[in-house]
Amino acid sequence: MAEFGYIVDSHCHLNYKQLREDEAGAVARARAAGVGCMLAINTKLREFNEIRAIAETYHDVYGTVGIHPHEAENEPDVAVAALVERAQHPKIVGIGETGLDYYYDNAPRDMQQVNFRAHIAAARETGLPVIIHTRDADEDCVAILREEMAKGPFKGVIHCFTASQMLADAVLEMGLYISISGIATFNSAKDLQATVKTIPLDRLLVETDAPFLAPVPHRGKPCEPAYVMDTARFVADLKGISFEELQEATTANFFALFDKATPPEAAKDAA
């Protein structure tokens, strides 16, 4: 395994207002904290140019292309070709975020499912991983993933995992990864903490989902990528391993999954 002296925030929203107002500062604070790479997530296709521009600005920031399930009604009938075309950019390394959210139901469930399947098709065509959001939709999420996997393999990660042990076991069986956010640090997250202990270290990522879900001890503040260090330390303690082991594994996992991304020291040397 390569030696990584940093950690990766595998999911953040640098174009959202709370971070965009001090984008350079947020990136600088993350670097100072020991975050060596960040993945800026696209949630609305109409905002893709913002994500691309952010990824182009920083050697250690990559981006994705996708439509959040909340936006499935606002951006309906997404063409697989539209996702694939945007994914050709060298700094775009993933498809999503996409998935199912039955908690808020901000878009009709059938439209969310169509949107989800289109993203999976784009992931399969490009070979890039799909970033999956799922909330209160475990059974449908697993069913769609299994149906789509039967059509042809694809890579992916369940981001900001808060779901059941059943979903964790199912997606791990399919070869997908699981990413843990600051929610795991909350006192109320006992069931999630129990599930985190069962996730194999070679399938684990960490993230902030910034500007949301700031971990303890930052609760009540806007989240930012630097805070992934707090989540990582908590998860390491939870799993009974050193922070260095957790850092090494999750960073290696990120570059194994998002294999179009170049570790930042190599990207900087090549710039």
Side-chain angles (χ1 to χ4, degrees):
M1 184 182 289
E3 291 293 330
F4 295 105
Y6 54 86
I7 207 157
V8 176
D9 181 0
S10 67
H11 193 111
C12 58
H13 298 280
L14 290 173
N15 68 316
Y16 280 23
K17 183 176 184 292
Q18 298 96 315
L19 291 174
R20 193 62 187 267
E21 290 174 346
D22 186 23
E23 174 195 301
V27 171
R29 288 188 293 275
R31 291 170 176 167
V35 181
C37 188
M38 291 150 268
L39 185 59
I41 304 296
N42 188 204
T43 58
K44 305 177 182 73
L45 211 56
R46 61 186 179 274
E47 294 178 356
F48 172 74
N49 289 345
E50 296 176 10
I51 296 295
R52 182 179 61 194
I54 291 169
E56 288 174 343
T57 300
Y58 306 99
H59 74 275
D60 48 2
V61 177
Y62 287 90
T64 71
V65 56
I67 300 169
H68 193 286
H70 290 340
E71 300 295 324
E73 187 173 19
N74 297 327
E75 298 190 4
D77 303 322
V78 60
V80 173
L83 298 171
V84 170
E85 178 184 4
R86 288 164 175 80
Q88 302 310 305
H89 188 282
K91 292 297 293 286
I92 302 303
V93 300
I95 306 295
E97 71 186 274
T98 182
L100 305 174
D101 193 314
Y102 294 174
Y103 180 82
Y104 286 109
D105 274 331
N106 284 349
R109 294 183 179 186
D110 60 340
M111 298 184 78
Q112 293 186 46
Q113 293 173 16
V114 169
N115 180 65
F116 190 13
R117 290 181 189 275
H119 283 71
I120 292 172
R124 189 185 294 114
E125 183 170 339
T126 60
L128 301 181
V130 61
I131 299 101
I132 301 162
H133 169 114
T134 181
R135 190 170 183 190
D136 286 8
D138 290 13
E139 291 185 3
D140 281 359
C141 183
V142 169
I144 288 173
L145 288 171
R146 283 178 173 155
E147 289 171 12
E148 291 295 330
M149 196 68 75
K151 298 176 184 177
F154 56 89
K155 303 182 298 182
V157 57
I158 306 292
H159 106 89
C160 191
F161 185 89
T162 57
S164 65
Q165 185 72 54
M166 179 279 289
L167 188 138
D169 292 342
V171 300
L172 290 169
E173 183 182 356
M174 285 184 265
L176 304 182
Y177 288 71
I178 293 176
S179 182
I180 303 301
S181 74
I183 291 176
T185 70
F186 299 176
N187 289 332
S188 59
K190 300 303 182 187
D191 289 346
L192 173 59
Q193 291 165 10
T195 300
V196 171
K197 293 179 182 179
T198 73
I199 301 170
L201 192 56
D202 64 357
R203 298 287 192 83
L204 189 65
L205 300 178
V206 286
E207 65 172 88
T208 58
D209 204 13
F212 312 112
L213 307 173
V216 175
H218 307 288
R219 291 200 68 181
K221 303 177 183 177
C223 191
E224 56 180 77
Y227 298 168
V228 74
M229 301 296 285
D230 299 278
T231 298
R233 290 189 181 97
F234 184 90
V235 171
D237 288 345
L238 197 61
K239 295 185 75 65
I241 61 176
S242 69
F243 169 77
E244 290 75 18
E245 187 176 357
L246 189 284
Q247 172 183 265
E248 182 78 17
T250 57
T251 300
N253 293 343
F254 177 84
F255 289 109
L257 177 61
F258 293 93
D259 55 3
K260 184 178 172 181
T262 303
E265 62 276 15
K268 191 173 184 180
D269 290 344

